[in-house]
Amino acid sequence: MDTVKERLEAILAEATANVWPSPRMLAFYNWVGRLPLKLGTLMMLLASPDSAQVIYLAGVKGRTDAALQVLYHYHFRWWRLWWGLGDALFLNAANARSVRSRGRFVRMAASYLLRGLATANGHNILRLVSLGSGSASQLLQGAADNGFGETRVRVVLVDRDGRALKAGVANAMRMGVAGAVTICKKTIGEYLRESDKAWAHVIEMVGLADYFDDERLQEYLSGIYQALIPGGCLMCANISSKREFAYAHGAACWPAMFYRTREELVGMLVKAGF
């Protein structure tokens, strides 16, 4: 167990290296977020097409997963000229960098955990569940990195948004694991209440705990614990740092989130049975 913990800590350190901008840039981003009359939002809309897309998807439509895909796949586009520089400026804030770091962690950690579970379980099929899956690109890529196909894994994508599930299926097809994927258009609560107990080897819920209050999250964590086989793994995360709070919610118009410390999240996991 210590070896697993040490390896995951190393993966986390690698994935989150250089995630914070300089103190001067951090102060700049929060200054933008604190500008009155939503001037910071207007600045982002005019200077950065990618930021405009994020603001529209997350702040207007409430489609945070679609907005996250913009952040995941950002790269510098020189042909956008001024607007390319605007993208580089606003999509290299800590919040945007941490989204990409989180994606790298999920992919690397999933690959590592699945490889270990495959060794421990011999030729048995590994059962994975992604709760609030969205496009599930990082989890699916983690499975594909090990060369796992439909004869080795089963992946259930759970989301209430049909468009997100469609994107997940498209990702699975692109990665060659489409035959292993089942989609489930339900809320997390519905799925956990109706799913078999002690069924899944791995359950992933990264990027979703941030939007649940303590009572709801505690309920879900208890349900997840019961859905996992003995020795199964939960991949979960929660936003914690408020160092760029003003920028994220004041300028980028990201929906309200529940910030929790590591100790608070661990306490909830222990209470659920982990």
Side-chain angles (χ1 to χ4, degrees), residues 155-179:
V155 186
V156 180
L157 306 183
V158 182
D159 204 297
R160 64 181 182 180
D161 186 344
R163 291 167 297 186
L165 292 172
K166 185 177 180 180
V169 171
N171 280 332
M173 293 179 65
R174 178 172 55 84
M175 297 172 194
V177 293

Side-chain angles (χ1 to χ4, degrees), residues 181-251:
V181 170
T182 300
I183 62 173
C184 183
K185 190 178 179 182
K186 293 181 179 179
T187 66
I188 293 177
E190 289 171 340
Y191 178 79
L192 291 174
R193 284 191 296 270
E194 298 168 12
S195 64
D196 295 332
K197 305 305 179 187
W199 180 83
H201 292 86
V202 176
I203 295 180
E204 177 262 333
M205 190 178 70
V206 174
L208 204 60
D210 315 329
Y211 304 102
F212 301 135
D213 62 25
D214 287 351
E215 181 179 0
R216 182 66 59 85
L217 181 57
Q218 191 66 67
E219 175 189 341
Y220 289 164
L221 291 176
S222 297
I224 289 169
Y225 180 77
Q226 294 177 42
L228 284 167
I229 65 167
C233 300
L234 165 64
M235 296 181 64
C236 184
N238 204 120
I239 191 167
S240 58
S241 175
K242 292 187 176 182
R243 290 173 64 190
E244 215 176 65
F245 183 94
Y247 175 72
H249 303 290

Side-chain angles (χ1 to χ4, degrees), residues 9 42 45 98 102 118-119 129 132 145 153 179 186 225 254-255:
E9 291 286 0
L42 180 61
L45 290 172
S98 64
R102 188 179 69 188
T119 301
V129 179
D145 286 345
V153 295
K186 293 181 179 179
Y225 180 77
W254 203 265

Side-chain angles (χ1 to χ4, degrees), residues 16-22 26 92 94-95 97 241-244:
T16 58
N18 301 315
V19 73
W20 287 103
S22 69
L26 190 63
N92 274 303
N95 279 288
R97 292 189 195 187
S241 175
K242 292 187 176 182
R243 290 173 64 190
E244 215 176 65

Side-chain angles (χ1 to χ4, degrees), residues 110-122 124 126-128 148 152 201-202 229-233:
S111 177
Y112 168 71
L113 290 172
L114 291 174
R115 188 163 57 250
L117 287 167
T119 301
N121 286 271
N124 294 326
L126 299 178
R127 298 180 293 273
L128 287 63
F148 293 159
R152 197 68 184 89
H201 292 86
V202 176
I229 65 167
C233 300

